[in-house]
């Protein structure tokens, strides 16, 4: 049975009723045990737990209820005018005051976190812009998951640019995580967006991105990436900078990895004098599709340590809707891991439209 979309998380519901439950238990135990045991000061646990959720009014209300309960139990036990009774009531007041201070501090931190999340969402819109659902003869679908909790952006990157030479694509993975990875991704994407539209061939685009990385980032940073170009002919040109080979699936469902003729170093390591990658061309006809991805997909492990078998899951890609097909792959990945992903995972699916009907669905 699914919970309603707006229902509070179970743990938050538990925390909401916890102060009342604790005070009820203390009252029951205190009345049964008698004044000799000394459970009365434990009534202050109610306002102590009150500050975990809600605002200061709720904490103050629970503190007032705890004080009334303490007075009632003190009267019942004959401790209301006794030193122990006054001590218990003072404990309730002191804990309530501390709880009010804690609530204020928590609300300040929550406001700061909300501001940071708002900035992160703005950064996402600037850095990882939504890719077009269609470009030229292509239907495009995207899936991206950051490994950082509550984060929208990480070290993986992607972009689709429609240029005079055709549709140009980049999918990459920055070494490392965190803000440094985001900075490197921003450099690569900025350079690619400029070069993809201006440069006449894919190799020139790669050189522009390489130069940008060398100028703006430390020498130890590198980015594995693959660039693709789809022009007017039924073919795709690939330029692979040490990135996992994309998965091509033809209209019959046959799949194969589009491996480069020779391995090349990632972007950012060109200063070491290595041979740059050479473009390689593969057929890409109506009905075919190509899945680009980062190693967060293929290196995702289950509890037995087995990698996600992407090449064995191509049946999901045969769905007529590209977004649905990619969502099925992602769900299969999550089911394989049975937990949060340990690395950023990006997938970009390109489909060569079969006919006008397919174009209308886009």
């Amino acid at each position: 049975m699914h919970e309603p979309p707006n229902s509070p998380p179970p743990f938050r519901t538990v925390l909401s009723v916890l102060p009342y439950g604790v005070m009820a238990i203390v009252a029951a135990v205190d009345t049964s045990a008698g004044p000799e045991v000394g459970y009365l000061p434990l009534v202050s646990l109610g306002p102590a737990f009150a500050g975990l959720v809600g605002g200061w009014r709720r904490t103050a209300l629970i503190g007032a209820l705890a004080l009334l309960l303490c007075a009632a139990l003190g009267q019942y036990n004959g401790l209301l005018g006794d030193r122990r009774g006054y001590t218990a009531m003072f404990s309730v007041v002191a804990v309530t005051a501390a709880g009010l201070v804690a609530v204020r501090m928590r609300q300040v931190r929550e406001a700061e976190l909300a501001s940071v999340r708002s900035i992160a969402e703005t950064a996402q819109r600037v850095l990882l812009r939504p890719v077009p659902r269609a470009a030229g003869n292509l239907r495009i679908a995207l899936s991206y998951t950051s490994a950082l909790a509550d984060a929208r952006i990480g070290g993986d990157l992607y972009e689709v640019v429609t240029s005079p030479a055709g549709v140009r694509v980049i999918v990459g993975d920055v070494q490392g995580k965190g803000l440094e990875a985001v900075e490197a991704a921003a450099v690569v994407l900025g350079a690619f967006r400029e070069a993809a539209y201006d440069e006449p061939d894919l190799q020139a685009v790669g050189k522009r991105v390489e130069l940008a990385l060398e100028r703006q980032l430390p020498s130890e940073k590198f980015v594995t990436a693959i660039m693709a170009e789809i022009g007017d002919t039924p073919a795709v040109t690939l330029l692979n900078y040490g990135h996992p080979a994309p998965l091509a699936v033809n209209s019959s469902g046959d799949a194969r990895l589009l491996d480069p003729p020779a391995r090349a170093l990632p972007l950012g390591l060109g200063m070491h004098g290595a041979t740059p990658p050479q473009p390689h061309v593969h057929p890409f006809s109506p009905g075919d599709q190509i899945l680009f991805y980062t190693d967060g997909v293929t290196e995702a492990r289950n509890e037995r340590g087995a990698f996600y078998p992407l090449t064995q899951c191509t049946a999901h890609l045969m769905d007529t809707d590209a977004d649905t097909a990619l969502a099925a792959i992602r769900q299969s990945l999550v089911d394989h891991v049975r937990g949060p992903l340990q690395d950023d995972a990006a997938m970009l699916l390109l489909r060569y439209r079969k006919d006008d009907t397919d174009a209308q669905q886009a």
Side-chain angles (χ1 to χ4, degrees):
M1 180 177 179
H2 298 288
E3 293 182 344
N6 296 325
S7 62
F11 76 91
R12 191 174 181 87
T13 302
V14 171
L15 292 179
S16 298
V17 302
L18 184 60
Y20 306 103
V22 168
M23 290 190 295
I25 292 172
V26 171
V29 173
D30 185 73
T31 53
S32 61
E36 295 81 9
V37 181
Y39 286 123
L40 191 58
L42 294 180
V43 174
S44 62
L45 289 175
F49 290 123
L52 296 177
V53 294
W56 67 269
R57 290 184 178 85
R58 178 176 181 273
T59 300
L61 174 62
I62 292 176
L65 291 175
L67 188 61
L68 291 174
L69 178 62
C70 189
L73 290 175
Q75 178 68 32
Y76 176 81
N77 291 326
L79 300 176
L80 191 58
D82 188 81
R83 178 175 56 84
R84 288 183 294 171
Y86 289 130
T87 301
M89 296 178 70
F90 176 78
S91 298
V92 171
V93 173
V95 171
T96 301
L100 290 172
V101 174
V103 167
R104 176 56 182 167
M105 295 176 63
R106 174 174 58 80
Q107 289 177 331
V108 169
R109 289 195 298 269
E110 288 176 349
E112 292 175 347
L113 180 59
S115 177
V116 170
R117 285 177 174 170
S118 176
I119 294 172
E121 290 177 356
T122 302
Q124 180 200 26
R125 288 193 293 269
V126 174
L127 179 60
L128 296 178
R129 302 181 302 197
V131 299
R133 293 175 58 87
N137 294 320
L138 303 178
R139 176 74 173 88
I140 304 169
L142 172 72
S143 170
Y144 178 71
T145 305
S146 173
L148 298 178
D150 297 326
R152 299 287 187 90
I153 53 179
D156 287 2
L157 56 95
Y158 53 82
E159 185 57 286
V160 178
V161 175
T162 302
S163 73
V167 178
R168 286 174 169 170
V169 176
I170 185 172
V171 174
D173 185 2
V174 181
Q175 173 220 6
K177 295 183 177 69
L179 292 178
E180 289 187 355
V182 174
E183 180 186 4
V187 172
V188 171
L189 289 172
F192 178 80
R193 287 164 182 160
E194 289 285 336
Y197 193 84
D198 294 338
E199 298 295 340
D201 60 76
L202 204 57
Q203 284 180 294
V205 176
K207 290 178 181 177
R208 285 267 296 271
V209 176
E210 184 83 62
L211 289 173
L213 276 173
E214 292 179 4
R215 287 195 305 265
Q216 301 183 47
L217 290 181
S219 58
E220 65 272 11
K221 276 291 177 186
F222 63 86
V223 182
T224 68
I226 186 164
M227 301 180 191
E229 178 181 288
I230 301 96
D232 297 330
T233 60
V236 57
T237 302
L238 300 175
L239 198 62
N240 195 321
Y241 289 86
H243 197 77
L247 180 68
V249 182
N250 63 22
S251 56
S252 301
D254 298 326
R256 66 188 182 100
L257 294 173
L258 303 181
D259 292 305
R263 301 297 294 177
L265 290 178
L267 290 165
L269 300 180
M271 65 183 70
H272 297 288
T275 303
Q278 297 301 309
H280 50 111
V281 181
H282 300 272
F284 191 38
S285 304
D288 294 348
Q289 50 190 327
I290 299 177
L291 178 64
F292 299 88
Y293 54 90
T294 58
D295 58 12
V297 176
T298 51
E299 294 183 3
R301 298 172 181 262
N302 60 14
E303 66 276 6
R304 298 186 302 275
F307 292 116
Y308 177 65
L310 178 62
T311 56
Q312 300 175 21
C313 300
T314 55
H316 296 298
L317 295 176
M318 302 314 292
D319 192 286
T320 55
D321 181 75
D323 291 305
T324 303
L326 200 55
I329 290 286
R330 186 185 183 280
Q331 186 60 51
S332 173
L333 175 64
V334 172
D335 293 341
H336 175 81
V337 176
R338 294 187 178 181
L341 298 180
Q342 299 303 308
D343 195 5
D344 301 331
M347 293 182 286
L348 183 70
L349 180 64
L350 300 183
R351 281 187 170 179
Y352 202 119
R353 293 173 177 167
K354 289 182 180 180
D355 49 35
D356 292 339
T357 302
D358 192 16
Q360 292 173 1
Q361 292 178 352

